[in-house]
Every structure is written in C-alpha cells, then in structure tokens.
C-alpha cells in the first residue's frame, strides 16, 4: 500500500526539467511584476508631476527691446553728506504724538520710546560706518526682464581640496532685506563637517537696491522666475534654497517651476492657505486626541487655544497686510516722506513679530534680540532707496484675488524639503498641515527659540538646521 502511494506521489511531482521551467516562470513573473511596480511608482509618478508654468515677463519701463544686457556688474553701496543732511532735516522736523498712559506697544510703536530711538538715530547712529559694513560682502547687479536686480554673492574662501561649495539661494521678506542674512553668512560660508555654502542673497524687485517693477502684476511667481534666471546666469544648474516670509513663497514657486534644478528647499515660514476637511477635523479633535489627527504635543501647545493664538492674534497683527493688499500707494506716500514714520512702521514689526509678548513692554523688547544699529541699518536701506511703496505693492500683487485660485496653489512641491518651525512665529504650521503641499518633507524641526526674522534673530540655530537638512539630502 505504501509503495503504491509513494509511486502515485512521485508521478504527481514535476520532473527536474519541469521544475526548472517552473522556477524560470516564477522568476519571470516576479521580474515582470517588479517592472510594473517600478513603472507605476516611479515612471508614472514622474509623468504626472505637475510643474508651475514658467512663462516670461517684462517689467521695465516702456516696450521690451529686442535684446537685453545680460552682463553682471559689480555694485557698491554709497552715501553722501547731502543724503545724511536731508535725513537729519526731516528728523528734526518730526511732529511726535504723545503716547497713551500704560499703552506700551499695544497701540503700535510707543511714541515715548520712539523719541529715544530717533534720538539715537540722529545723534549716534553712523550711517557711513554701516555702509562700510554693508560693502563687506560683494554686491552685484544684472538686468533681468527689464529690471536691475541687486544681489549679494558670497563665495567661501580656502576650500579644502576635494570639497566643493553648495550653492544656496536665500531670499528675504517684508519688512526685511538682504541685510537680514549678514549674521548667518559667515556661519554658512565657513566650512564645517566638510559642508560649506556659496550664498546668493538677492533683493526682491521693488525692495532695497533692486529696481522696482514699472508695470502692474509683479507677484511671487514673477520674482521666482527672475531669481531662477539669476541662478542660471550665475552658472548654477542645481542649487539649494532657503526662505521665510515672501522669500518662503518665492523659493517655493521656484521649486514648483523648476524642480529638476532644486536640490533642496529649506523654509522657516510656510503659511497654510488651503483649508480642507482634514484640517478642520484636526482643529476639532487635535486638543483632545492629537495622535489621531497627526499632531504632536508640541503642536498642541503652539496651536491651542486656536482662536486666541491664531484668529485673534492674526487680527491684531495683520492690519498692515489689508492696507498693503488694497491701497499701498496711499499709506506708503507718508512713509516714503517721513523717516520717523518709516522707522516706526518697520521697527514695530521687529518687536511683535519677534515675540508677541513684547507688546506689553514700554520699549517693545527691540534690543532684547537686536541692536539699534542693525535695526536702523535695515530701515536706512528702505529710506535711501525710496523703496517702501514698491515693497508694499508686492502685497497688492499677490493678494489681489483668491489665494486658492492662484496657479501655484494647485501644484505640490516634490523636491526634498526641510521645515524649521520657530516658537514665536506668527502662525504655527504642523507637519500634517504642510504635507499636502510639500510632498517630500525630510526634515521638520521644532526650534528652541526665535520668531519671524529667524536669520536675523537666531542665525546659529537656523544655520545648524540648514546644515542638518542638506546632510540628509546629500546622503
């Protein structure tokens, strides 16, 4: 019986040749399935990746010429006794308004403290000395789309053999300038752990020493295209980017426009503009069961109570935005004419956007994080260039319609992305809210301290986070 069973089983088993064929068939099927998987996960994903149309533009005065000068010219910031004399005359003619008792910075820049700042500006601040400081790094200008685009370009010195610098485009926001990056530049351009950067800091057209657009419609997408062209003109086919405020949006647009040229995108400000059901559910449940909606304990601490920390705080801090997004020329007229008015308008942001609790201080906490020399240097960049009105217009051009209907609102960011979240930022952006737009976040950091002007306020923290992010990309 057992013999008959063994013979039957033997007949059921495949021969050695059949077994070989079966193995070959299985291997072939596995290879075929693997190929299909690669196709669907990689090839089809690439073909489906949407990019932001680059387009073209002309923002110079008059008609576009047949050819444009593409040379890069050295530039140096200059001043004169006449310029300083005019400033002093206007300061001396200022009409101050008495501040309310116990108002601190809750009504805006406290005029009692403003007198002290203006006195320092008039009697101790040395603009000629600061101009020398500004010229410490090489400045350049080049014509792009009809505009003279100003930028600072800092190359590392003494590169070790076998090492190359990583190109890094850093873009400022409002009411900042390229000067925000002066403290972080040496931290990035000096080699550390075999990593060193070659940094390019342009001024947004209409800000500082970049020419203002002569036509309506110059938004972040236009600025992104111009800065992309700048990097190409400098010879960088691949580069990293870093930005906050408008700089965060501009660099995001570049990543959407030309992802194949962007090795990585690092942001310290990324407002969430698209609200969906997932976000609503996270707000309803996040304070009670954060793990169910993707929140961490730190997210809960920074977001809730939501209306107090987000809605009410933003209402208190966003009045300027409504003015600049609707009638920038009206408000800007007075600011462009009065240096003291300009200083109050700008410096108030460096108080409350650094720490909202500074509103309750008589001096606005200005010198807790910054020196008056640094703050007034940034103000002077706006004053001597007469760029306040044109910088304010950037809000009008970007917020003139529904943000969710902008072309960049419908396109994700697929390049490696690093997000540095500072605790005193105007709005907190949890990772789960960032991911619908930024599809490839490889670094998300809860920073220990700092507010909106990260590079200006906490250069060491920001520089270290940029380095850690780039190391992850380069692995």
């Amino acid at each position: 019986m057992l013999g008959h069973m063994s013979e039957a089983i033997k007949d059921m088993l495949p021969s050695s040749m059949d077994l070989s064929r079966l193995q070959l068939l299985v291997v072939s099927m596995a290879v075929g399935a693997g190929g299909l998987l690669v196709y669907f996960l990689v090839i089809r994903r690439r073909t489906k990746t949407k990019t932001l149309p680059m387009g073209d533009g002309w923002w110079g005065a008059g008609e576009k010429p047949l050819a444009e000068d593409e040379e890069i010219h050295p530039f140096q910031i200059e001043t004169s006794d006449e310029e300083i004399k005019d400033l002093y005359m206007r300061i001396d003619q200022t009409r101050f308004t008495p501040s309310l008792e116990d108002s601190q910075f809750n009504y805006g820049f406290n005029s009692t403290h403003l007198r002290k700042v203006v006195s320092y500006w008039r009697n101790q601040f040395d603009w000629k000395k600061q101009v020398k400081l500004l010229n410490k790094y090489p400045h350049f200008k080049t014509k792009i789309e009809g505009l003279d685009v100003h930028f600072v370009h800092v190359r590392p010195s003494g590169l070790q053999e076998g090492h190359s610098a990583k190109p890094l485009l850093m873009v400022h926001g409002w009411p900042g300038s390229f000067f925000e990056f002066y403290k972080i530049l040496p931290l990035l351009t000096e080699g550390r752990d075999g990593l060193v950067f070659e940094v390019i800091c342009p001024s947004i057209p209409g800000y500082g020493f970049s020419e203002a657009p002569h036509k309506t419609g110059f938004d972040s997408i236009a600025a992104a295209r111009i800065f992309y062209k700048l990097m190409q003109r400098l010879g960088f086919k691949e580069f990293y980017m870093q930005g906050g405020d408008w700089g965060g949006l501009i660099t995001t647009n570049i990543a959407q426009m030309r992802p194949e040229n962007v090795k990585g995108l690092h942001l310290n400000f990324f407002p969430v503009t698209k609200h969906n059901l997932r976000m609503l559910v996270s707000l309803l449940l996040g304070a009670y069961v954060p793990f169910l909606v993707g929140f961490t304990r730190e997210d809960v601490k920074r977001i809730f109570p939501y209306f107090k920390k987000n809605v009410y705080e933003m209402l208190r801090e966003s009045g300027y935005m409504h003015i600049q997004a609707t009638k920038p020329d009206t408000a800007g007229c007075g600011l462009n004419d009065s240096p003291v008015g300009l200083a109050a308008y700008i410096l108030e942001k460096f108080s409350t956007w650094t720490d909202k609790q500074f509103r309750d201080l008589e001096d606005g906490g200005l010198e807790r994080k910054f020196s008056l020399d640094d703050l007034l240097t940034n103000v002077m960049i706006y004053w001597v260039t007469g760029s306040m009105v044109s910088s304010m217009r950037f809000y009008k051009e970007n917020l003139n319609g529904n943000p969710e209907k902008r072309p960049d609102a419908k396109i994700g960011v697929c390049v490696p992305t690093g997000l540095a979240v500072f605790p005193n930022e105007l709005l907190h952006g949890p990772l789960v809210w960032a991911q619908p737009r930024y599809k490839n976040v490889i670094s998300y950091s809860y920073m220990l301290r700092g507010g909106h002007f990260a590079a200006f306020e906490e250069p060491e923290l920001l520089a270290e986070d940029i380095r850690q992010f780039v190391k992850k990309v380069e692995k």
Side-chain angles (χ1 to χ4, degrees):
M1 181 73 175
L2 290 173
H4 288 299
M5 287 180 65
S6 63
E7 288 295 330
I9 292 171
K10 214 180 262 187
D11 290 339
M12 293 171 63
L13 292 174
S15 66
S16 59
M17 183 176 292
D18 291 337
L19 189 60
S20 298
R21 289 174 179 171
L22 183 61
Q23 288 174 336
L24 182 62
L25 179 63
V26 170
V27 170
S28 300
M29 290 175 65
V31 170
L36 286 172
L37 185 63
V38 169
Y39 172 78
F40 280 105
L41 292 181
V42 179
I43 307 300
R44 286 203 61 184
R45 180 175 294 179
R46 283 180 182 172
T47 58
K48 284 190 171 184
T49 298
K50 290 184 178 180
T51 57
L52 186 63
M54 187 167 177
D56 203 359
W58 174 260
W59 308 101
E63 297 295 321
K64 182 178 180 179
L66 295 176
E68 187 175 51
D69 177 19
E70 295 187 357
E71 289 295 316
I72 296 173
H73 304 280
F75 171 75
Q76 195 165 32
I77 299 170
E78 297 177 347
T79 187
S80 65
D81 291 336
E82 290 73 20
E83 184 176 68
I84 296 171
K85 183 179 178 181
D86 176 73
L87 171 70
Y88 288 168
M89 179 195 71
R90 292 169 185 266
I91 288 176
D92 291 340
Q93 293 179 349
T94 301
R95 295 189 302 173
F96 290 93
T97 302
S99 60
L100 295 171
E101 295 178 6
D102 300 321
S103 61
Q104 292 81 38
F105 265 59
N106 286 290
Y107 282 71
F109 203 111
N110 184 284
S111 59
T112 301
H113 187 64
L114 181 60
R115 288 177 179 270
K116 297 177 183 178
V117 172
V118 170
S119 175
Y120 180 87
W121 193 8
R122 175 66 173 82
N123 301 304
Q124 294 173 261
F125 178 76
D126 189 341
W127 174 232
K128 289 184 178 180
K129 176 183 175 183
Q130 295 306 108
V131 166
K132 290 181 181 178
L133 172 65
L134 291 175
N135 286 324
K136 172 183 177 181
Y137 296 114
H139 294 247
F140 301 88
K141 280 191 176 184
T142 189
K143 186 79 74 174
I144 304 177
E145 296 189 10
L147 300 176
D148 273 330
V149 179
H150 161 260
F151 63 97
V152 175
H153 188 176
V154 186
R155 297 177 174 89
S157 58
L159 266 180
Q160 296 179 2
E161 189 175 347
H163 290 82
S164 60
K166 310 295 181 187
L168 175 63
L169 174 69
M170 302 188 77
V171 186
H172 66 88
W174 187 92
S177 65
F178 66 90
F179 181 60
E180 286 181 68
F181 301 119
Y182 266 48
K183 291 182 180 178
I184 200 172
L185 282 172
L187 303 176
L188 295 172
T189 55
E190 295 173 3
R192 189 182 303 173
D193 300 329
L195 189 61
V196 65
F197 296 92
E198 181 173 346
V199 186
I200 299 89
C201 302
S203 296
I204 300 171
Y207 287 68
F209 297 98
S210 277
E211 186 179 354
H214 297 265
K215 295 172 172 60
T216 62
F218 187 88
D219 58 10
S220 66
I221 297 173
R225 184 176 61 245
I226 283 179
F227 289 166
Y228 169 76
K229 289 180 179 181
L230 171 63
M231 295 301 281
Q232 295 297 294
R233 190 170 294 180
L234 290 170
F236 300 117
K237 301 304 179 186
E238 288 187 320
F239 50 90
Y240 287 93
M241 300 189 296
Q242 201 286 325
D245 197 86
W246 284 127
L249 180 57
I250 292 169
T251 51
T252 292
N253 289 160
I254 297 175
Q256 293 170 312
M257 193 179 290
R258 286 291 185 268
E260 66 273 17
N261 298 111
V262 178
K263 293 196 71 176
L265 171 66
H266 186 280
L267 304 172
N268 60 278
F269 186 67
F270 46 98
V272 179
T273 56
K274 192 170 184 178
H275 302 92
N276 51 34
L277 181 61
R278 184 179 181 182
M279 184 176 178
L280 177 61
V281 171
S282 66
L283 287 175
L284 292 173
L285 303 178
Y288 310 103
V289 281
F291 59 92
L292 286 181
V293 295
F295 282 178
T296 65
R297 290 182 179 179
E298 187 64 24
D299 290 328
V300 173
K301 179 182 175 183
R302 296 188 185 189
I303 291 174
F304 298 103
Y306 180 75
F307 277 93
K308 178 184 177 182
K309 291 189 175 182
N310 295 270
V311 179
Y312 299 147
E313 284 292 351
M314 279 307 295
L315 284 174
R316 296 182 73 175
E317 292 299 328
S318 61
Y320 80 97
M321 183 172 63
H322 298 287
I323 294 172
Q324 294 175 193
T326 52
K327 303 293 178 64
D329 286 26
T330 303
C333 180
L335 299 176
N336 194 51
D337 189 61
S338 167
V340 175
L342 179 69
Y345 196 71
I346 290 177
L347 296 185
E348 183 249 316
K349 305 308 178 194
F350 283 88
S351 166
T352 54
W353 291 5
T354 300
D355 191 331
K356 289 184 274 292
Q357 294 183 5
F358 286 174
R359 280 194 300 252
D360 297 324
L361 301 176
E362 288 288 342
D363 63 358
L366 278 174
E367 293 181 75
R368 295 192 177 193
K369 291 296 183 76
F370 313 106
S371 71
L372 283 181
D373 279 346
D374 286 344
L375 291 169
L376 290 170
T377 296
N378 184 63
V379 172
M380 286 295 290
I381 290 171
Y382 280 86
W383 176 254
V384 300
T385 58
S387 59
M388 192 56 181
V389 176
S390 53
S391 73
M392 293 166 70
R393 287 174 182 160
F394 203 55
Y395 284 79
K396 172 80 170 177
E397 306 295 10
N398 282 288
L399 302 173
N400 208 20
N402 185 347
E404 294 186 15
K405 291 186 178 180
R406 284 171 49 114
D408 56 330
K410 303 172 185 177
I411 297 172
V413 178
C414 298
V415 305
T417 304
L419 305 175
V421 190
F422 285 82
N424 292 325
E425 185 55 272
L426 293 169
L427 289 173
H428 176 63
L431 176 59
V432 70
W433 288 0
Q435 285 173 327
R437 186 175 198 182
Y438 300 95
K439 311 290 187 182
N440 189 14
V441 179
I442 66 170
S443 173
Y444 183 91
S445 307
Y446 295 102
M447 308 306 284
L448 295 175
R449 59 187 180 275
H452 188 68
F453 305 99
F456 205 33
E457 180 189 349
E458 295 291 347
E460 292 87 1
L461 287 181
L462 184 62
E464 183 58 27
D465 200 71
I466 294 171
R467 286 181 176 278
Q468 294 305 317
F469 164 67
V470 172
K471 284 180 182 178
K472 289 182 179 180
V473 177
E474 295 287 324
K475 276 186 179 179

